[in-house]
Amino acid sequence: MSPPDFVAHGVAAGGEVRVLAAESTVTVNEAQRRHGLLPTATAALGRLMTGAALLGAMLKGQESVTVQVVAGGPLGSLVAVAGSDGTVRGYVGNPAVHLPLNAHHHLDVGGAVGRGDLYVIRDLGLKEPYRGSVPLVSGEIGEDLAYYLAHSEQVPSAVALGVLVEVDASVRAAGGLIVQVLPGHGEETVATVEKALKDLPAISRSIDRGKGPVLLAEERLGSLGLRWLERRPLRFACPCSRERFEEGLVALGREELERLAAEQGEAETVCRFCGTVYRFDATDLRRLIGEATERAPS
């Protein structure tokens, strides 16, 4: 049984370097189970969710971050949403994607994603969320997120994300590490960090062997005085509810609900993020038709 997932936030080099580490095996396994993901889709969504969770470790209060990949590969769009409370959820457009291994004998996430763009939306509780985007550089998710952080947010970052998938698509190990050199750093800090992170082993393989991203970071950045500030539990969670979907149905309007009741006699909705199915029978539809009628402008 895998140990509980977590995401940790630390600093090094007297605050010049930010370190974010996560183990997400249980969380990614839950996403795989809920969405019925095949191996390549599991690796892609697992990397995206882990990356979002790492960004979420920098948030506070009710803040959240959404990371979206819009590309032309067989996976379609991928979305992950992480909150400041250590929750994350996500989905992929086509969960039934599994490609042959790439030239490096790894799951071909880049081929499954294809060419497109990476979007990051930070909801910081302001009037409008902060939005940024960059073209995908590889579709491998980690490299794309590093490119985004460096070019859109001007924070040089090393990003390592990994998901080790079994033949049955279950997740054996998953996690990630982000190391950022923050504004105001000294001239030697970048070179020191680059040297420390050279030839970093695959995160998922390292977790599987008992040396997760926290130990890796301590091993590589300990000389810079790495200090962990916070460690939060990480878990798959979705805020969907029957009430939210009822509101969505009422928003369709009386005429559309009456047509639905006449043609099908019931309605079924599915949450894209968690796969939960909500069913509304004829009695439910009559009640919702009444609510839609009351809300309709006179």
Side-chain angles (χ1 to χ4, degrees), residues 48 65-71 78 80 116-121 131-134 136 145 148:
L48 193 72
V65 60
T66 300
V67 184
Q68 182 178 20
V69 172
V70 180
L78 297 88
D117 299 286
L118 175 76
Y119 297 85
V120 176
I121 303 146
R131 300 173 184 268
S133 66
V134 292
L136 294 172
L145 192 54
Y148 167 82

Side-chain angles (χ1 to χ4, degrees), residues 128-172:
E128 294 290 337
Y130 169 81
R131 300 173 184 268
S133 66
V134 292
L136 294 172
V137 293
S138 70
E140 295 289 338
I141 310 300
E143 295 172 15
D144 304 301
L145 192 54
Y147 183 79
Y148 167 82
L149 291 168
H151 289 78
S152 184
E153 300 192 359
Q154 284 76 54
V155 182
S157 306
V159 180
L161 303 172
V163 180
L164 183 58
V165 186
E166 299 279 25
V167 176
D168 64 358
S170 63
V171 179
R172 182 164 173 170

Side-chain angles (χ1 to χ4, degrees), residues 41 44 48 68-79 91-97 109 111-117 136 141 272:
L48 193 72
Q68 182 178 20
V69 172
V70 180
L75 282 174
S77 296
L78 297 88
V79 180
Y91 69 85
V92 57
N94 182 7
V97 171
V109 171
V113 169
R115 296 183 178 180
D117 299 286
L136 294 172
I141 310 300
R272 295 197 72 180

Side-chain angles (χ1 to χ4, degrees), residues 34 240 242 245 267-271 274-280:
R34 286 177 174 269
C240 75
R242 185 177 180 85
F245 279 97
E268 180 178 289
T269 59
V270 182
C271 177
C274 68
T276 301
V277 178
Y278 297 94
R279 294 184 174 85
F280 302 89

Side-chain angles (χ1 to χ4, degrees), residues 13 27 41 58 78 102 106 120 125 128 140 144 148 157 178 185 191-192 202 204 212 216 218 220 267 281 283 290:
T27 302
M58 294 183 278
L78 297 88
N102 61 23
H106 298 153
V120 176
E128 294 290 337
E140 295 289 338
D144 304 301
Y148 167 82
S157 306
I178 295 180
H185 60 267
T192 302
S204 57
L216 276 177
E218 292 173 348
R220 298 300 182 102
D281 60 21
T283 300

Side-chain angles (χ1 to χ4, degrees), residues 202-255:
I203 289 292
S204 57
R205 293 283 183 185
S206 188
I207 293 172
D208 188 48
R209 294 166 183 161
K211 183 183 287 187
V214 165
L215 289 178
L216 276 177
E218 292 173 348
E219 180 182 88
R220 298 300 182 102
L221 301 170
S223 63
L224 292 176
L226 173 60
R227 178 168 56 93
W228 297 107
L229 303 176
E230 186 178 15
R231 180 168 170 147
R232 308 175 187 174
L234 176 64
R235 61 188 176 90
F236 185 103
C238 184
C240 75
S241 66
R242 185 177 180 85
E243 290 71 26
R244 288 193 178 194
F245 279 97
E246 283 188 353
E247 286 294 320
L249 288 171
V250 170
L252 294 175
R254 178 179 59 82
E255 291 185 2

